Amino acid sequence: MTEPLPLADRVAKDIRDLLITGALAPGQRLSEAAFSERLDISRNSLREAFRLLTKDGLLRHEANRGVFVSVPSTDSIIDIYRVRRMLECGALRQAWPKHPAVAVMRGAVEHARKQHDLADWREVGSANMKFHAAVVDLSDSSRLSDFYARVAAELRLSFGLLKDPEQLHSPFVDMNAQILELVEKGEVVEAASQMELYLNLSERTVLKALERIAR
């Protein structure tokens, strides 16, 4: 039986989930009063959760100003994609087509397509995050999945820096669907190759968009 997480770890996970869904923006100040009320916890427990997320690089503390959501740098984004290639491509190469995570991937693709038609780009982005978390779950390693959750939160923050979410998310809905179809057919080596192409394109898209913002 799995031991329950300590309260601060559970709260840190809840806040990380908010980052992954795009509910918190890069540079946003997090009010202790508002979050302790929102999550129904004491400020001491919240501060410990903030400390854990600061250690992970997802939050930053500024003296006399408070706690803020981190703003990813270009170097950190490059490193995120390096990690993603190792985790996601590796998971796909050894994937089992009947793995339960494949159904999660299918559900994420279908949800992304519906939200794409509604031009709800935040939801398309959230479906995309769910798809790629499920890809890592194909590895059957709780440690890798937990690690990827931290990476995914930082990744979503980089998406939050971009001014054109349609450009960021729209092209990748069909690419996710293609990777899914390859996995379902058992063509997992080709699926891994397609994922590497996907990640290369996604990385270039994010970095070019950030270059335009910096000008």
Side-chain angles (χ1 to χ4, degrees):
M1 184 175 178
T2 304
E3 289 291 326
L5 290 172
L7 177 58
D9 293 81
R10 295 201 304 272
V11 174
K13 181 182 181 303
D14 290 341
I15 297 173
R16 191 164 57 239
D17 288 343
L18 292 174
L19 294 170
I20 293 172
T21 61
L24 302 177
Q28 179 178 340
R29 184 179 181 277
L30 303 185
S31 163
E32 278 191 10
F35 263 80
S36 61
E37 181 178 350
R38 178 177 183 174
L39 300 174
D40 192 25
I41 58 168
S42 70
R43 291 201 183 190
N44 284 339
S45 296
L46 181 64
R47 287 169 188 151
E48 177 61 16
F50 280 173
R51 187 191 68 79
L52 293 172
L53 293 168
T54 300
K55 184 179 178 182
D56 286 343
L58 298 175
L59 302 180
R60 72 177 191 278
H61 180 268
E62 295 186 12
N64 302 317
R65 293 196 65 209
V67 176
F68 296 79
V69 177
S70 293
V71 178
S73 66
T74 297
D75 286 345
S76 67
I77 291 168
I78 291 171
D79 195 39
I80 287 168
Y81 276 91
R82 183 181 297 119
V83 170
R84 291 188 71 190
R85 289 185 191 92
M86 294 176 67
L87 292 182
E88 297 188 49
C89 296
L92 285 169
R93 288 190 191 98
Q94 54 89 58
W96 177 48
K98 300 296 184 182
H99 193 287
V102 176
V104 178
M105 293 164 64
R106 169 62 64 185
V109 166
E110 292 172 354
H111 184 62
R113 283 177 164 164
K114 290 178 183 176
Q115 299 308 310
H116 181 281
D117 292 341
L118 297 173
D120 187 340
W121 303 115
R122 177 177 160 181
E123 274 301 302
V124 172
S126 294
N128 178 66
M129 302 302 292
K130 190 170 185 178
F131 177 90
H132 290 275
V135 168
V136 177
D137 288 343
L138 292 170
S139 65
D140 280 324
S141 169
S142 59
R143 289 178 177 83
L144 289 181
S145 294
D146 288 345
F147 175 67
Y148 185 76
R150 298 182 178 90
V151 174
E154 196 171 1
L155 176 67
R156 189 63 187 261
L157 288 178
S158 71
F159 293 167
L161 296 172
L162 309 184
K163 296 180 180 179
D164 187 356
E166 179 177 0
Q167 178 191 9
L168 174 66
H169 296 303
S170 183
F172 298 103
V173 174
D174 286 340
M175 294 183 75
N176 281 344
Q178 291 166 5
I179 291 168
L180 171 64
E181 288 172 8
L182 289 168
V183 172
E184 290 176 331
K185 292 177 182 176
E187 298 175 14
V188 293
V189 174
E190 179 60 23
S193 297
Q194 289 299 312
M195 179 62 79
E196 185 165 7
L197 293 174
Y198 173 113
L199 293 173
N200 289 342
L201 177 59
S202 178
E203 181 181 30
R204 288 198 301 271
T205 301
V206 173
L207 292 176
K208 285 181 179 179
L210 289 179
E211 284 178 9
R212 287 194 291 270
I213 292 172
R215 289 172 187 169

